[in-house]
Amino acid sequence: MKKPLLYPKLAWQGIRKNAETYLPYLLMGILMVGVSYIMNYLTRPGLMGSLSMGGTTLMVLQMGKIVISVFSVIFLYYCNSFLIRRRMKEFGLYNILGMGKGNIARVMLWETLLTALLVFAGGLLLGLSLSRLVEMALINLLHADYTVPMELFYPDGVTWVLLLFGGIYVLILLANLWRMRLTNPVALLKSESVGEKPPKDNWFFALAGLVILLGAYYLAAASQSPLEALVFFFIAVLMVIVATYLLFVTGSVTLCRMLRRNKRYYYQTRHFISVSAMAYRMKRNGAGMATICILCTMVLVILTSTVCLYAGTTDSMVDAICPQDINLTIGLEARDGEENGERLDAMQQMALDVTEEMGLTPENITSQRALVATGKVQNGDYGIITDADSLKANVLELTVYPLSVYEQATGETVTLADRELLYASFKTNETFSSMSFYGSAPYRMIHAEKELPKRLLSADYRSAWGCLVVFTNDAEAFRSEITALVGEKSGEAMMMDRLALHFDLASEADTDTQEKLVKTLRSEAMKLTGKDFYGMSSLSVDTRSLCRRDYLSLFGGLFFLDMVLGPLFSIAAVLIMYYKQICEGYEDAERFAVMRKVGLTDAEIRRSVNSQVLTVFFAPLLMAGLHMLFAMPMIRLILGAFGLHNDSLFYGIGIGCYVVFAVIYALMYLLTSRRYYRIVR
């Protein structure tokens, strides 16, 4: 044998003989390289620049590229720690037989090179084979009317993959060499059998983890508005991550200690062995179980959210924003006074004239004038909002209509006495018996029996706060009273006069024509007010088809990203558990051999293995389910800000996702427990 071939042969032999642990590592690397190439292929300018809504989809996919890149670094490095631990005994034997650490370093170098080559070759082959198919799937999800030109190879994607994963494997090699440099030969030979000392009970950190977790659950349950939920969601996520690690690392040890003190429970064959083994290695087990729990929770959250948003992109969501073909909403500052009426009249006529000039015929024209304000409800008074109040649940967006608007929209006749208001609330379940406005004399509030038509809520639907819609006998008198009370603080009161104009098109208009109409209406509205887009109180022009397209662009991109990240995170969680069981199975084999010699039967070993693996495997899933249970009200509020208010759809998909994920997880448990049992047997 020629000496130059010695090291690559030893490296290849090491990979081949450890195929049980190397094969999943290689397959996961191949999958990550393939996914990274496909994500780069999908974000190429030739595709995104040609899609009409490519900007939004590009933003989502770029975010996915970053997530996958960071995850690849962490996960491959984490898996390598399991592999190198299994190989240390072999490297120690090489050292005892005369190979210096420099020679072993060369073997490691060749192993890393061979691993990287296999991963690059397999991953790029996978990416090139599936990229076109995945591209067509994405376009189908977006409902895009576009024929993608054939492009089988994307050089920039290959370059990105080579740089990213080349850097990852260089990092892994340096970490392995550093670990080898700090270890002596005798320690290498004993590395596989060296366990961790069971950590002591730590009630402080266990209780701290419980308190932090309960605090996170309280934030999730106490959030009352979408904006409040959106802000506190990230704080709650960080608290849950910290609490999960504390509970699994220190809380689980404390639990094991408590179980050991329970003699009736502990001194049973299956419990005695499993509890002792878990307590002996719980520090390492706890960190791995916490990681698996967090991965499972991430999968469940993103799967539930994106499936709900994509499935909810139906007529009900589009109707809430665009009840008719063309929808124009414009608001002018209320302190401008009577001039607003003339301006809004001119804008309504302008919108109809522009539509007809473009060869389109408006029909089913509906328009509503309203006074709109944003304020807080406190002690029965609707008052001026401050910056500090903007995240609180008592913030409501007030819309005041003449009573005739309600009667015309619902066909119901209502009689209101003096200082009585008919009201309906939206995005909030709060009810009111009386209310004053900016310090006025109180009004008696009467709840509307009938559900409001979508066109009366279309402008308020975008609000992140709750909405209070009020109908009054004399809208002008009500407006005069409020503006007089607000006085010089009218700017702080965030009040405006608003026109909501909706109409259908009698003639067909393609997407390009509708986009041109939207741009023209915006431009003409700015000319009439003498203000640019950002100087106006509010301006919104939407069409049903463009609204649906924008929804599909965002939610379809998120749904596609979830279909990539969900399985990736799931496989990662299973693979971490697989490596844990394999490594610990080899560690436990000698211990079970000793126990067998003193009389432990195979049936008792199987019961003990099932008890230990069942606990280690399903504790993260159960904890992830608990996290998801408390997070669902907060997630529902956040999705409500996107326009999803179908609770039955949300909770049904959430429960369905957990059940499907649990079934797949249980199948992985069966495979893992059998492999662990064969090793220890």
Side-chain angles (χ1 to χ4, degrees):
M1 187 191 315
K2 294 182 180 180
K3 191 171 182 180
L5 297 178
L6 173 63
Y7 299 111
K9 286 188 175 181
L10 286 175
W12 176 249
Q13 186 178 19
I15 294 174
R16 185 173 56 83
K17 289 187 175 181
N18 291 276
E20 184 179 49
T21 52
Y22 258 101
L23 185 59
Y25 177 64
L26 290 172
L27 291 177
M28 194 63 185
I30 289 171
L31 178 61
M32 288 182 171
V33 169
V35 170
S36 295
Y37 172 79
I38 290 173
M39 293 298 288
N40 278 275
Y41 180 82
L42 294 178
T43 55
R44 71 189 191 276
L47 173 62
M48 291 295 112
S50 301
L51 292 176
S52 57
M53 60 287 204
T56 305
T57 307
L58 176 62
M59 178 188 68
V60 173
L61 296 183
Q62 291 284 14
M63 178 180 65
K65 278 176 56 178
I66 296 173
V67 172
I68 291 172
S69 299
V70 174
F71 179 73
S72 298
V73 175
I74 297 172
F75 184 73
L76 291 178
Y77 186 85
Y78 188 79
C79 289
N80 174 73
S81 65
F82 288 106
L83 292 176
I84 199 65
R85 189 164 183 233
R86 291 279 302 133
R87 300 297 309 282
M88 280 300 178
K89 185 175 182 180
E90 180 183 338
F91 292 144
L93 182 61
Y94 287 162
N95 203 187
I96 294 296
L97 294 177
M99 291 181 67
K101 289 188 176 181
N103 303 106
I104 297 175
R106 294 183 185 180
V107 176
M108 286 184 169
L109 174 62
W110 275 102
E111 280 194 12
T112 305
L113 286 174
L114 290 173
T115 300
L117 287 174
L118 290 172
V119 167
F120 283 139
L124 289 175
L125 181 62
L126 178 68
L128 291 169
S129 302
L130 298 180
S131 56
R132 176 68 177 175
L133 180 64
V134 174
E135 183 179 54
M136 290 189 293
L138 174 62
I139 293 173
N140 186 57
L141 278 176
L142 299 178
H143 294 221
D145 185 15
Y146 175 68
T147 303
V148 183
M150 183 66 68
E151 189 173 349
L152 297 178
F153 182 72
Y154 183 48
D156 289 349
V158 176
T159 302
W160 167 264
V161 166
L162 292 176
L163 290 175
L164 173 63
F165 287 89
I168 293 174
Y169 284 111
V170 168
L171 176 64
I172 289 173
L173 174 62
L174 293 175
N176 291 343
L177 294 176
W178 182 255
R179 182 172 181 173
M180 173 65 64
R181 182 177 180 275
L182 298 179
T183 313
N184 61 60
V186 176
L188 289 174
L189 282 173
K190 295 182 178 180
S191 61
E192 189 176 324
S193 59
V194 174
E196 292 189 45
K197 295 181 180 180
K200 299 179 180 180
D201 314 36
N202 197 322
W203 283 96
F204 175 78
F205 286 110
L207 290 175
L210 182 60
V211 170
I212 293 172
L213 185 63
L214 292 177
Y217 289 168
Y218 173 78
L219 284 179
S223 298
Q224 298 296 319
S225 68
L227 193 60
E228 188 178 22
L230 188 62
V231 172
F232 290 135
F233 180 77
F234 297 101
I235 299 174
V237 166
L238 292 176
M239 292 174 68
V240 165
I241 291 174
V242 172
T244 301
Y245 274 98
L246 286 176
L247 287 175
F248 273 108
V249 174
T250 61
S252 55
V253 173
T254 304
L255 177 62
C256 286
R257 295 289 186 175
M258 291 174 60
L259 293 176
R260 291 180 68 172
R261 295 189 186 101
N262 186 342
K263 296 182 180 180
R264 181 176 298 180
Y265 176 87
Y266 182 62
Y267 289 107
Q268 296 182 26
T269 305
R270 58 177 181 173
H271 296 154
F272 177 82
I273 299 173
S274 60
V275 172
S276 298
M278 288 173 65
Y280 188 77
R281 296 188 304 267
M282 190 49 70
K283 185 177 181 180
R284 185 173 68 245
N285 274 349
M289 290 165 67
T291 302
I292 294 168
C293 176
I294 292 168
L295 283 173
C296 292
T297 307
M298 289 171 59
V299 171
L300 291 171
V301 169
I302 63 177
L303 192 63
T304 300
S305 302
T306 53
V307 171
C308 283
L309 286 173
Y310 187 75
T313 308
T314 58
D315 289 339
S316 60
M317 289 182 68
V318 176
D319 282 347
I321 299 293
C322 300
Q324 291 178 244
D325 289 346
I326 306 296
N327 305 269
L328 182 145
T329 304
I330 189 163
L332 301 174
E333 293 181 1
R335 60 184 174 183
D336 289 347
E338 297 179 358
E339 297 178 0
N340 286 349
E342 298 176 1
R343 290 174 179 171
L344 294 178
D345 286 337
M347 288 180 190
Q348 177 170 332
Q349 189 59 48
M350 173 273 297
L352 300 176
D353 292 342
V354 167
T355 304
E356 292 178 348
E357 287 171 5
M358 294 185 64
L360 305 173
T361 304
E363 63 177 11
N364 301 327
I365 302 169
T366 61
S367 65
Q368 294 91 31
R369 305 288 180 86
L371 175 68
V372 179
T374 302
K376 62 179 178 180
V377 179
Q378 190 171 11
N379 299 324
D381 180 67
Y382 188 90
I384 295 174
I385 189 174
T386 64
D387 291 340
D389 297 316
S390 59
L391 299 181
K392 296 183 179 178
N394 62 346
V395 175
L396 290 175
E397 194 147 287
L398 173 69
T399 305
V400 183
Y401 286 114
L403 181 61
S404 58
V405 172
Y406 176 82
E407 293 178 334
Q408 183 180 7
T410 62
E412 180 183 6
T413 301
V414 179
T415 302
L416 294 177
D418 186 38
R419 303 203 72 80
E420 281 188 345
L421 300 175
L422 184 71
Y423 83 95
S425 55
F426 184 59
K427 296 186 182 177
T428 176
N429 296 322
E430 194 170 0
T431 57
F432 309 96
S433 58
S434 67
M435 184 179 295
S436 60
F437 297 87
Y438 303 101
S440 69
Y443 284 82
R444 182 169 177 262
M445 306 291 285
I446 301 174
H447 192 270
E449 297 296 330
K450 291 194 175 182
E451 184 178 355
L452 296 185
K454 289 292 192 300
R455 64 175 179 274
L456 296 182
L457 297 170
S458 60
D460 299 307
Y461 198 87
R462 297 176 178 82
S463 172
W465 300 292
C467 301
L468 180 65
V469 183
V470 171
F471 302 91
T472 175
N473 273 331
D474 192 339
E476 285 301 322
F478 186 85
R479 181 189 185 283
S480 299
E481 180 181 8
I482 288 180
T483 52
L485 288 168
V486 172
E488 296 179 355
K489 295 183 178 180
S490 59
E492 299 178 26
M494 300 174 66
M495 296 171 58
M496 63 180 178
D497 293 311
R498 187 182 67 197
L499 164 70
L501 174 66
H502 313 280
F503 57 86
D504 294 320
L505 296 176
S507 51
E508 292 292 332
D510 56 27
T511 303
D512 291 339
T513 303
Q514 292 188 35
E515 285 185 337
K516 184 179 178 181
L517 175 61
V518 167
K519 292 178 181 178
T520 305
L521 290 176
R522 285 178 179 170
S523 175
E524 293 299 319
M526 293 173 193
K527 291 179 182 178
L528 284 174
T529 58
K531 299 179 179 180
D532 59 18
F533 180 80
Y534 299 100
M536 304 177 74
S537 296
S538 69
L539 173 62
S540 171
V541 185
D542 295 302
T543 72
R544 285 184 61 84
S545 61
L546 296 180
C547 183
R548 181 182 294 277
R549 187 196 69 180
D550 292 341
Y551 265 143
L552 287 172
S553 176
L554 177 60
F555 300 152
L558 288 172
F559 181 67
F560 174 81
L561 185 59
D562 179 55
M563 293 300 100
V564 175
L565 295 181
L568 200 61
F569 289 159
S570 301
I571 294 171
V574 171
L575 194 56
I576 291 173
M577 185 61 71
Y578 172 80
Y579 276 131
K580 282 174 58 60
Q581 298 302 337
I582 292 295
C583 293
E584 292 172 6
Y586 282 112
E587 291 177 7
D588 290 344
E590 295 182 6
R591 300 185 182 100
F592 277 104
V594 173
M595 298 296 289
R596 189 180 288 108
K597 290 177 182 178
V598 298
L600 196 70
T601 65
D602 282 348
E604 291 170 329
I605 290 176
R606 180 178 288 276
R607 284 197 297 269
S608 175
V609 167
N610 285 336
S611 176
Q612 180 177 347
V613 177
L614 191 68
T615 302
V616 173
F617 208 93
F618 280 96
L621 179 64
L622 295 176
M623 181 64 83
L626 189 64
H627 292 341
M628 187 65 185
L629 178 65
F630 280 91
M632 288 187 81
M634 182 178 277
I635 297 171
R636 182 180 62 82
L637 287 173
I638 295 173
L639 296 184
F642 286 96
L644 181 70
H645 296 277
N646 189 335
D647 288 348
S648 59
L649 174 70
F650 171 70
Y651 287 108
I653 288 178
I655 294 171
C657 288
Y658 184 79
V659 170
V660 172
F661 185 80
V663 170
I664 297 173
Y665 196 88
L667 293 176
M668 295 302 103
Y669 157 73
L670 294 175
L671 296 175
T672 304
S673 61
R674 288 177 182 176
R675 183 61 194 137
Y676 180 87
Y677 176 72
R678 282 198 293 267
I679 293 173
V680 300
R681 186 178 58 181

